[in-house]
Amino acid sequence: MTTSSTSVRKRSQEWYERAQRFLMEGVNSPSRGSAVFHPGPVVLERGQGSQVWDLDGNQYTDFMMSFGALIQGHAHPKLVSVVSETMAEGSHFAAATSAEAEAAERFCQMVPSAEVVRFANTGSEATMLALRLARAHTGRTKFLKFEGHYHGWYDPFLLNAHSHPPQDLGSKDEPARIPDSEGIPATTFDDVVLAPWNDVSALESVMRRHGRELAAVITEPIMANMGCIPPREGYLQRLRELTKAYEVLLIFDEVVTGFRYAPGGCQQYYGIKADLSTFGKALGAGFPVGAVAGPRSILDRMRWGQNMVLHYGTFNGHRLTMKVIAANLDLLSATDAYPKLHDIGNTAIAGLREVFRRRKIPAIVQGFGPMFQIYFTEREAIHDYRDYCAYVDTARYSRFVQLLLERAIYMTPSNGLHWILSTAHTQADIENLLQAADQASAELA
Ligand SMILES: Cc1ncc(COP(=O)(O)O)c(C=O)c1O
């Protein structure tokens, strides 16, 4: 098999210039534009299964999969027919529908900690609601977030979600607090306790100091916004014990990991029951959705009345999306989706490790199964935000991905994201990836 050249992207460049005349930054989220793509993004026009085509007609195998949303690949035939049938009947009523109940039933059958669920439109909305619920339920206002974890763009979560030079990070006991955005009042962060992740003694220490005042600890179960960083053995279990001991709600942010590692997400994979969990991305199979799930005793606080937790939204429970979710969850339950996702991902990981070994490139491939990341580093593992900031050559990764983009592999050059497999990927896709990676490594070395 030979990899085709996708280096001519003239129309992409022209279109990107045109887009910038009226569309802010030429894209609707910075990570899609020149913040990470140099000289500019590949403008995508069409997708089918694991493949995408750009404006110049170049074909790529997609390993970004809409930042993880496309668990069934592009334009899955079942989902295409659900969408067209549903559209013909009316896409959304903002009224009670059978579609939302059917989606919720399937959701709660799959996610172990979900007695009930509430749907929103994005992962950011879900984490915002989870925090509001936790504060109402506990009567406490502070919460703990970990360095390098991203939970969406709601104000209080935007602390140390971006990487920074290691000398700017402060000590593990007193991490420097670095907002990710202008326009957020400094007082917003008065309620945020910031701690390093994946370090049991740092966790015990911060919980001793702050445990009694926290409404919640929010964590990504696998850290997915500094690439792909699995928890150390026993870390999540200890986090669960400590949050229980201090009567703090544990929020698992499964926006990335949900419906990806197991039918019930990482909480099922690692056997941990969070108090609240948030979902998005793979749940909607390409349609915008967020969800908060947990026990009735907590979610009941949203019930209409005095002292309720408010959650509104014109597009909540969007009928088209709910139909897609029900069909997506049926597909994920009925097929051998998870063994396949794990197998194919592990094949890609092993193959890439072999390429770097053969080419004598100091790089590791971290993660397992459906999600992983490549780090150009001399280290044997990247365990947290501080390792990522200190030891990962992100510029080299960006060059590597640019070389892959010229060899029919579509991926974001941002090292903070991760490689994603969908049920549409095949062994042939992995062979193409490995061949392209081998060529790119030869040029990189
Ligand atoms: C762990 C995590 N939580 C929440 C979000 C926010 O989701 P959304 O982009 O749908 O608002 C993201 C987005 O990447 C995420 O990675």
Side-chain angles (χ1 to χ4, degrees):
M1 210 162 299
T2 50
T3 51
S4 55
S5 168
T6 44
S7 54
V8 177
R9 295 198 290 268
K10 192 166 170 294
R11 292 199 64 211
S12 270
Q13 276 158 21
E14 286 164 5
W15 199 265
Y16 183 51
E17 272 158 36
R18 176 170 166 186
Q20 289 175 81
R21 290 212 292 275
F22 297 106
L23 178 61
M24 189 50 229
E25 272 191 303
V27 284
N28 281 298
S29 189
S31 52
R32 302 175 194 180
S34 50
V36 293
F37 288 89
H38 308 294
V42 182
V43 180
L44 294 182
E45 199 61 358
R46 189 163 71 84
Q48 179 68 61
S50 60
Q51 305 295 300
V52 284
W53 286 261
D54 70 14
L55 271 184
D56 292 270
N58 296 312
Q59 180 177 347
Y60 308 77
T61 304
D62 183 1
F63 287 99
M64 195 189 90
M65 284 288 143
S66 197
F67 294 132
L70 297 167
I71 189 94
Q72 307 288 0
H74 298 270
H76 187 288
K78 173 71 188 157
L79 303 184
V80 170
S81 68
V82 165
V83 169
S84 59
E85 281 160 26
T86 308
M87 258 322 277
E89 300 162 344
S91 58
H92 185 47
F93 305 132
T97 62
S98 57
E100 59 190 356
E102 289 193 346
E105 276 169 17
R106 286 163 174 77
F107 183 106
C108 292
Q109 278 157 12
M110 286 174 81
V111 178
S113 69
E115 230 181 304
V116 275
V117 61
R118 174 57 80 82
F119 294 114
N121 300 289
T122 62
S124 298
E125 286 180 35
T127 53
M128 174 173 143
L129 176 59
L131 180 59
R132 187 176 290 173
L133 275 167
R135 284 170 159 167
H137 190 72
T138 58
R140 302 171 179 175
T141 49
K142 290 198 177 181
F143 76 97
L144 186 151
K145 92 166 279 280
F146 293 105
E147 290 178 322
H149 287 220
Y150 176 68
H151 302 293
W153 62 285
Y154 176 44
D155 285 1
F157 293 132
L158 291 181
L159 202 58
N160 298 54
H162 290 151
S163 59
H164 296 281
Q167 63 273 19
D168 294 350
L169 301 181
S171 69
K172 273 194 162 187
D173 277 345
E174 294 286 338
R177 299 161 68 86
I178 313 174
D180 301 306
S181 173
E182 290 291 299
I184 302 175
T187 50
T188 298
F189 300 117
D190 291 351
D191 291 326
V192 185
V193 173
L194 183 70
W197 190 70
N198 229 358
D199 178 332
V200 165
S201 68
L203 180 68
E204 289 171 345
S205 150
V206 75
M207 290 301 277
R208 265 195 305 276
R209 280 176 286 142
H210 294 285
R212 297 267 168 235
E213 52 184 357
L214 296 176
V217 173
I218 185 166
T219 188
E220 300 179 52
I222 291 177
M223 196 173 168
N225 285 286
M226 291 289 141
C228 184
I229 308 182
R232 288 182 194 267
E233 212 179 321
Y235 182 75
L236 294 177
Q237 284 76 0
R238 187 72 186 122
L239 178 58
R240 179 64 282 190
E241 284 165 13
L242 286 168
T243 44
K244 271 216 175 101
Y246 286 96
E247 297 175 338
V248 178
L249 297 190
L250 176 60
I251 304 174
F252 261 20
D253 181 355
E254 296 236 39
V255 168
V256 174
T257 53
F259 300 98
R260 194 175 312 289
Y261 276 95
C266 266
Q267 51 195 274
Q268 187 171 51
Y269 188 86
Y270 289 115
I272 291 178
K273 193 161 179 194
D275 297 300
L276 288 171
S277 324
T278 55
F279 295 82
K281 299 202 190 241
L283 172 62
F287 280 74
V289 73
V292 178
R296 192 173 286 284
S297 57
I298 302 179
L299 272 81
D300 233 15
R301 293 186 180 271
M302 275 188 273
R303 194 176 289 284
W304 183 263
Q306 270 190 341
N307 308 324
M308 67 176 169
V309 169
L310 186 74
H311 176 229
Y312 278 155
T314 302
F315 293 108
N316 293 349
H318 190 269
R319 183 167 180 266
L320 190 56
T321 307
M322 294 296 117
K323 289 276 192 181
V324 168
I325 287 177
N328 179 33
L329 298 188
D330 283 347
L331 285 168
L332 290 174
S333 315
T335 65
D336 58 348
Y338 290 97
K340 192 183 159 203
L341 283 167
H342 278 264
D343 272 5
I344 210 151
N346 288 335
T347 307
I349 293 167
L352 286 166
R353 284 181 181 151
E354 175 55 22
V355 166
F356 296 130
R357 191 196 60 75
R358 205 173 50 244
R359 292 284 178 191
K360 298 191 173 32
I361 292 184
I364 57 173
V365 188
Q366 203 166 278
F368 54 97
M371 193 176 102
F372 61 87
Q373 182 54 301
I374 297 163
Y375 299 113
F376 291 97
T377 181
E378 303 281 349
R379 309 287 285 192
E380 277 175 17
I382 297 300
H383 287 300
D384 60 18
Y385 176 68
R386 287 166 185 259
D387 280 358
Y388 180 87
C389 294
Y391 304 119
V392 176
D393 188 342
T394 57
R396 195 164 203 217
Y397 177 79
S398 175
R399 280 201 305 282
F400 179 68
V401 172
Q402 299 292 346
L403 293 170
L404 293 179
L405 284 168
E406 293 170 13
R407 291 168 173 80
I409 301 298
Y410 183 80
M411 186 53 195
T412 167
S414 165
N415 216 165
L417 287 148
H418 32 258
W419 292 68
I420 293 279
L421 280 307
S422 75
T423 58
H425 283 91
T426 62
Q427 291 294 343
D429 293 330
I430 304 306
E431 282 165 31
N432 285 342
L433 166 64
L434 297 180
Q435 186 169 355
D438 188 53
Q439 292 170 6
S441 300
E443 204 168 317
L444 192 71

